[in-house]
Amino acid sequence: MSGMDLLFTWIAAGLTLAIFSFLYRDNPFYKFAEHIYVGSAAAYWFIYLWFFDVKPKLIDAWISNTGFERYILIVPAFLSFLMLLRFIPKVAWLSRWAIAFTVGMGAGLGITGAIQGYIVPQVKAGMLPLWTGQWGNSLNYIILVVSTVTTLVYFFFSKEHKGGLGFLAKVGIMFIMIAFGASFGSTIMARISLLIGRLYFLFHDWLHLV
Amino acid sequence: MRNFWEQLGKIDRRIVYLFVFLGASAPLFLHVVPKFKASPEVVQAYQAIDELPAGSVVLFSIDYDAASMPELQPLLEAMLTHVFRKDLKVLMMGHWPLGLPLGQIALEKMAKRYNKKYGEDYVFLGYRPGLAAVILNMGKEIRTVFNVDYKGTPLDSLPLMRNIHNYNDIALLVGFEAGAVGDYWVQFAQARFQQKIILAATAVVWPDLYPYLQAHQIVGLIGGLRGAADYEVLVNQPGSASTGMASQTVVHILIVVFILLGNLGYYFTRTWRKPT
């Protein structure tokens, strides 16, 4: 391990312990590590966006292009400028034009993406035979179809959930709870993995104990 | 007995943290690596890569950062091991700027191990903002998004990139997901351009991606530390994910015990408090 590696390992270990100290209670070490993270992340984002976006896509493109390809760059540059006007209260409303452009583009992409890439394929995949000739497969398909239909019924609010509709909605909420349980369990697994990762770093990379 | 259950309900959270710390640390010192069989969806992902002919191009998208490193970094290294052993070509990019250096570190480490040459066997494209716009434009021509690599080298000067223009030239895409970018890859790259995709996600994101696997919109799904450990087993290269599985198991058992004790405590104290 080189001298620099050793130094950065010690810094990383110190910052990890500072963050872990919050588990006992809030303290200046935790605050220090938190502020370092926020500051360095913001600076990193800024550098990345400048060197991977603004510089190559706007400044370098303006220098290297000619004709239409050059002058079309005025449009995004102008919209970016409008966005920055948010900092001047008197003309802050102008930033809404840029926001409107972003929202419009996002909505257009989102709607087409959701329909073409999610709703249609998922509905297609949900159209399954309830009997396939094999008990295991058939049971899976039945659970899938019943859970889809009853969950949809739960979110159908045009009629009061009473009688048959109420029963289906109750079945639907049971499936939703099972899904939440699975997500929660999986989230715990993720958080524990992060802890294990940090402990492994402390015991293996820093202290060489394991 | 009553006092015991009441005290249990008031237990200091720091005692719980201490148990979790000990439960996670002890297996690391004991070097216990549990034996487990790779799950079918991970085997499916492994086979999708294994079936590719040598020279095929695999695009890795780094859509995570340091917060998800313990779960996804060992998996990335295991998958790069598999890809380089199979003599496949690698393109790497990402939608999370803070995570790209992690991708670069793993790529350079594995490339060095397998004597791969930059520009011929692998290329690191870097990051461009725009997410959906980036994914869609890559379907037409990669150069409209990445005209240069992360070092600023024009793509056409890199031998590997000369014949790569869009998804038609990419055999498989592997998205490493700690957020919602995987949805965008499926909804735009797969739905519009029929790109074959494997999603490798953190355990938080993983359950939400199962519908894509069930609908055959993706060809494999790898989730969390367990998925990474599965892949390490498949490539026969045990690493930090496999080592962490024993700790994972112990802490899971602890959490189940705590949940049971907490619920029992709640049940008994509630029963005793009921007015007669």
Side-chain angles (χ1 to χ4, degrees):
Chain A
M1 192 185 267
S2 72
M4 284 304 274
D5 283 346
L6 193 69
L7 175 71
F8 284 120
T9 304
W10 273 81
I11 291 173
L15 290 172
T16 303
L17 293 175
I19 292 287
F20 276 177
S21 68
F22 185 77
L23 293 173
Y24 184 68
R25 67 171 174 223
D26 201 358
N27 63 74
F29 295 107
Y30 170 74
K31 284 268 185 278
F32 174 72
E34 189 190 28
H35 292 163
I36 283 185
Y37 174 72
V38 172
S40 56
Y44 192 84
W45 259 103
F46 178 80
I47 295 294
Y48 239 87
L49 289 175
W50 177 260
F51 283 103
F52 284 88
D53 188 20
V54 180
K55 190 175 174 290
K57 292 297 210 185
L58 192 65
I59 298 168
D60 293 351
W62 177 266
I63 295 164
S64 58
N65 288 328
T66 53
F68 177 76
E69 284 189 352
R70 176 185 228 188
Y71 294 107
I72 191 70
L73 294 169
I74 293 172
V75 178
F78 180 64
L79 288 172
S80 307
F81 173 71
L82 291 184
M83 197 71 107
L84 291 173
L85 293 179
R86 285 186 75 78
F87 296 113
I88 306 166
K90 269 191 177 176
V91 286
W93 60 274
L94 280 167
S95 66
R96 287 184 208 148
W97 292 1
I99 294 169
F101 175 82
T102 315
V103 170
M105 195 193 73
L109 282 170
I111 290 166
T112 51
I115 294 171
Q116 190 183 19
Y118 196 78
I119 297 171
V120 172
Q122 289 303 318
V123 169
K124 220 168 118 185
M127 291 177 182
L128 298 162
L130 296 181
W131 177 250
T132 61
Q134 281 180 321
W135 279 104
N137 258 350
S138 301
L139 188 66
N140 274 343
Y141 288 178
I142 290 167
I143 292 171
L144 207 146
V145 171
V146 171
S147 60
T148 306
V149 172
T150 53
T151 305
L152 285 172
V153 168
Y154 176 76
F155 288 104
F156 180 75
F157 299 119
S158 303
K159 204 169 178 286
E160 202 178 344
H161 288 179
K162 275 182 174 174
L165 197 73
F167 172 74
L168 289 176
K170 267 185 188 160
V171 177
I173 192 75
M174 279 166 60
F175 280 112
I176 293 170
M177 289 301 158
I178 291 168
F180 285 161
S183 277
F184 179 64
S186 205
T187 303
I188 288 178
M189 188 165 94
R191 302 300 177 233
I192 299 301
S193 303
L194 302 188
L195 173 69
I196 295 165
R198 280 294 82 191
L199 292 177
Y200 189 77
F201 166 76
L202 290 174
F203 296 139
H204 182 262
D205 298 354
W206 183 44
L207 299 173
H208 306 287
L209 293 175
V210 296
Chain B
M1 194 63 184
R2 182 175 177 167
N3 193 38
F4 170 75
W5 291 114
E6 276 177 353
Q7 286 302 315
L8 201 68
K10 291 176 196 162
I11 197 165
D12 192 323
R13 64 189 163 82
R14 283 169 287 202
I15 305 286
V16 179
Y17 294 152
L18 183 67
F19 273 100
V20 171
F21 170 76
L22 292 173
S25 308
L28 295 178
F29 284 95
L30 298 171
H31 300 283
V32 186
V33 180
K35 279 186 182 170
F36 48 87
K37 203 178 154 196
S39 48
E41 54 272 25
V42 179
V43 174
Q44 215 176 310
Y46 175 86
Q47 281 170 347
I49 290 180
D50 213 52
E51 284 162 6
L52 293 175
S56 301
V57 178
V58 180
L59 172 65
F60 285 81
S61 180
I62 306 299
D63 309 324
Y64 67 95
D65 61 15
S68 309
M69 191 180 165
E71 285 184 283
L72 293 177
Q73 196 73 0
L75 177 62
L76 176 61
E77 289 188 4
M79 289 189 97
L80 283 169
T81 300
H82 189 198
V83 164
F84 282 142
R85 274 184 196 163
K86 289 277 305 172
D87 222 5
L88 303 173
K89 308 292 179 187
V90 173
L91 297 185
M92 189 176 275
M93 56 167 288
H95 292 288
W96 283 37
L98 289 176
L100 276 169
L102 301 177
Q104 195 184 348
I105 289 167
L107 184 60
E108 281 171 4
K109 180 180 165 186
M110 291 302 152
K112 197 177 168 190
R113 186 176 294 174
Y114 292 96
N115 295 318
K116 299 295 175 183
K117 208 174 164 193
Y118 188 80
E120 287 178 18
D121 300 304
Y122 70 100
V123 167
F124 191 76
L125 294 171
Y127 164 80
R128 289 286 182 276
L131 188 55
V134 168
I135 295 171
L136 284 171
N137 279 313
M138 283 177 68
K140 292 169 196 158
E141 171 59 62
I142 288 175
R143 283 155 189 79
T144 59
V145 188
F146 296 97
N147 50 344
V148 292
D149 72 353
Y150 81 112
K151 286 179 186 166
T153 314
L155 288 200
D156 287 320
S157 64
L158 301 166
L160 174 62
M161 293 308 295
R162 276 179 205 146
N163 296 317
I164 301 174
H165 293 278
N166 52 41
Y167 295 125
N168 291 334
D169 308 312
I170 295 168
L172 189 66
L173 188 154
V174 188
F176 287 79
E177 313 302 341
V181 179
D183 295 300
Y184 283 85
W185 278 122
V186 175
Q187 289 173 18
F188 294 112
Q190 192 278 329
R192 294 202 187 177
F193 301 101
Q194 288 75 52
Q195 175 64 55
K196 264 172 83 176
I197 296 175
I198 290 172
L199 290 180
T202 58
V204 177
V205 178
W206 174 41
D208 296 338
L209 300 174
Y210 264 95
Y212 293 129
L213 187 72
Q214 192 269 333
H216 304 292
Q217 288 178 274
I218 55 175
V219 295
L221 179 61
I222 309 168
L225 195 72
R226 170 66 208 264
D230 283 351
Y231 214 93
E232 285 181 351
V233 168
L234 289 168
V235 295
N236 199 20
Q237 189 180 277
S240 62
S242 307
T243 311
M245 282 315 291
S247 303
Q248 187 82 260
T249 310
V250 173
V251 179
H252 279 207
I253 292 167
L254 265 176
I255 288 171
V256 171
V257 170
F258 282 137
I259 289 173
L260 285 175
L261 286 175
N263 276 283
L264 283 173
Y266 175 72
Y267 173 77
F268 287 126
T269 47
R270 196 182 60 166
T271 312
W272 287 322
R273 272 183 207 149
K274 266 186 187 172
T276 49

